Amino acid sequence: MSNYSLEQLSQHLPLVKEGQKLQWVVVKKIETGVLVDCADGAITGIILQKEVRDLLRNGVDLSIWASIEAELINPTIRHKEWYYIISVTKLLQIDVRKNIISKIETNEIFTVIPTEANLGWLLVDMHGIKWFIPLSQLAPIHYPRVEDGAQEQIFDKLLEMIGKEFKVRAISLDEEEKRVILSEREALKEETEKILSEIEVGKSYEGIVSGVSSYGLFVTLGGSVEWLVHISELTFWHVSHIDNLAKIGDPFEVKVIGLENGKISLSRKQLKGDPWSYIPTKFKIGDIIEWEVVRFVPYGVFVRIYDDINGLIHLSELSKKNQVKVWQVVQAKLILLDPKARKIGLSMKSLESWSDDTTTATPAKKRTKKATSDTSTEAEKTA
């Protein structure tokens, strides 16, 4: 501190009053906060620890000898060690308020990083002004879609988003509550409109799986347009475990089969032709099918026939000699072929009877047709 006479010191000291904005220099960090000096050390103030944590989280420089502008809190209230209590946050809040009003007026897109989460929001704390991203304003790719709306799972997914960058627009400001509502969806508005204007019925597009439910997969196109691929449009055969078809984040090609008033209808199975139109040309009653068992049901087992299509071996038509297991390759005789009803029936029992007939000249293997599945994916085989 510089040496002053009493008269010089009184002239040098700034007016100490509530709300006074002064330039301070960081001089020391203590357990209860950060000490700062002004007027060459004539006045010492303290930034309390709670505010220090907030300032550091928001990137404010509080290193020793750093210069900061701060506001003096009521000078009649002193810290227990008789330091003046000062606040940087109040001045920063004025800048934050001006900044957010400007962003609302200009419809600016900017980046924020959530610091907290609860069941309804992601929260960004900007020097005591709360910026919220409601669940309804998250982009499809980030929306925490959970079966049956399980709150604990939603909360867990929101917690995973803390610390990640989000591009948003500010859509409202409540000055009394010091609350700003942000929207990731609004930041993607132009991109969404562009995608919707370019989508054509009959064309296929590469999307990303953004949600899995019991009734289908949610697929996001371009990161902003999300629609459901209903379970009936995923594959031509029964799906017992839909999460075996794809996981969240997986690339997923789809075909647009409908577009009306901004509503898109998507299909996975229509990327390729209906295998039921081909089956009658490939198989006929009496053929011997050789392929793998894919699923058990209370009334029998299903065997892969062609592409997405399975045939049923009813309990009454199972082998009397051998037990079958999932993924085991078996031989069975085609005894029912009804493309219109989309049913295929197989029999292992009749094949055994036929093989045991000593009057039959042709061995069974010479009449065997091995089913093919050239276009089915590994995930579809296990679903």
Side-chain angles (χ1 to χ4, degrees):
M1 175 176 134
S2 301
N3 294 319
Y4 292 96
S5 67
L6 184 60
E7 182 180 355
Q8 289 174 321
L9 183 61
S10 63
Q11 294 174 351
H12 181 75
L13 287 175
L15 180 63
V16 178
K17 64 179 183 178
E18 184 175 357
Q20 179 72 40
K21 299 176 185 177
L22 299 171
Q23 201 70 31
W24 303 79
V25 175
V26 177
V27 293
K28 189 177 182 181
K29 296 179 182 180
I30 62 175
E31 185 178 346
T32 54
V34 170
L35 298 183
V36 291
D37 283 350
C38 75
D40 286 339
I43 300 176
T44 299
I46 184 170
I47 306 172
L48 298 178
Q49 190 61 37
K50 181 179 178 181
E51 183 173 347
V52 168
R53 287 194 294 267
D54 176 70
L55 294 173
L56 292 174
R57 186 173 65 243
N58 287 283
V60 176
D61 183 10
L62 293 179
S63 60
I64 303 300
W65 307 127
S67 178
I68 57 172
E69 187 179 38
E71 182 177 349
L72 187 66
I73 306 300
N74 188 345
T76 62
I77 301 175
R78 299 289 193 96
H79 183 261
K80 63 182 180 179
E81 297 178 10
W82 209 243
Y83 301 123
Y84 287 104
I85 299 175
I86 68 167
S87 173
V88 181
T89 298
K90 285 192 174 182
L91 296 181
L92 292 176
Q93 284 180 348
I94 295 173
D95 292 336
V96 170
R97 179 183 172 279
K98 290 179 180 178
N99 186 30
I100 199 64
I101 289 174
S102 173
K103 292 181 186 301
I104 292 174
E105 290 175 347
T106 59
N107 207 26
E108 180 184 341
I109 296 173
F110 56 100
T111 300
V112 295
I113 300 176
T115 56
E116 300 176 44
N118 62 29
L119 284 176
W121 315 78
L122 286 172
L123 184 145
V124 181
D125 190 340
M126 293 294 289
H127 306 299
I129 297 180
K130 308 297 183 182
W131 298 18
F132 295 90
I133 311 176
L135 287 184
S136 61
Q137 295 301 323
L138 288 172
I141 198 68
H142 291 139
Y143 188 84
R145 187 172 287 99
V146 172
E147 196 76 18
D148 300 324
Q151 292 189 343
E152 288 186 6
Q153 294 182 43
I154 291 175
F155 185 56
D156 288 342
K157 289 182 178 293
L158 288 173
L159 288 177
E160 293 173 2
M161 300 181 197
I162 293 175
K164 295 183 179 180
E165 291 187 350
F166 286 77
K167 291 189 179 298
V168 296
R169 277 188 167 121
I171 58 176
S172 72
L173 168 63
D174 185 334
E175 295 200 53
E176 184 175 342
E177 295 292 332
K178 295 183 179 179
R179 176 179 292 184
V180 180
I181 304 299
L182 307 176
S183 173
E184 189 182 23
R185 284 183 177 273
E186 282 297 310
L188 295 170
K189 184 176 179 180
E190 289 80 7
E191 181 182 343
T192 299
E193 291 174 349
K194 183 175 184 293
I195 292 172
L196 288 174
S197 69
E198 294 176 349
I199 282 179
E200 297 181 30
V201 175
K203 285 192 174 182
S204 60
Y205 298 88
E206 190 71 33
I208 298 293
V209 176
S210 50
V212 179
S213 76
S214 58
Y215 46 87
L217 296 175
F218 289 91
V219 176
T220 298
L221 305 178
S224 60
V225 177
E226 180 190 63
W227 293 104
L228 174 71
V229 185
H230 193 267
I231 191 170
S232 62
E233 288 296 332
L234 288 172
T235 178
F236 284 100
W237 64 292
H238 174 80
V239 178
S240 56
H241 299 289
I242 198 167
D243 55 350
N244 284 341
L245 291 176
K247 300 290 190 298
I248 292 177
D250 285 351
F252 202 78
E253 187 179 7
V254 291
K255 183 178 181 179
V256 177
I257 57 175
L259 178 59
E260 184 177 358
N261 298 324
K263 183 178 180 179
I264 305 172
S265 297
L266 302 175
S267 176
R268 171 74 165 191
K269 72 181 187 182
Q270 292 190 36
L271 287 171
K272 48 195 174 186
D274 185 351
W276 283 102
S277 63
Y278 176 74
I279 283 176
T281 68
K282 184 175 180 63
F283 301 99
K284 63 181 183 297
I285 300 295
D287 282 346
I288 308 303
I289 306 298
E290 184 181 87
W291 199 244
E292 60 192 9
V293 175
V294 293
R295 185 163 56 99
F296 284 96
V297 291
Y299 47 86
V301 298
F302 281 96
V303 176
R304 180 81 67 199
I305 300 300
Y306 174 78
D307 200 5
D308 290 347
I309 307 304
N310 298 331
L312 173 67
I313 306 177
H314 192 270
L315 285 174
S316 61
E317 296 296 338
L318 283 171
S319 172
K320 296 178 181 178
K321 299 179 179 180
N322 302 306
Q323 291 185 341
V324 296
K325 301 177 182 179
V326 174
W327 308 129
Q328 177 185 347
V329 175
V330 300
Q331 285 189 346
K333 186 176 181 179
L334 188 62
I335 59 174
L336 171 66
L337 181 57
D338 187 348
K340 188 175 182 180
R342 300 195 170 223
K343 291 183 178 181
I344 294 176
L346 301 167
S347 173
M348 295 178 71
K349 184 174 68 175
S350 62
L351 184 57
E352 289 174 352
S353 299
W354 176 82
S355 299
D356 291 340
D357 188 349
T358 56
T359 62
T360 304
T362 307
K365 288 187 177 180
K366 291 189 177 180
R367 297 179 55 198
T368 299
K369 284 193 175 182
K370 185 173 182 180
T372 58
S373 183
D374 295 336
T375 58
S376 61
T377 65
E378 190 62 33
E380 288 169 340
K381 288 181 181 180
T382 59

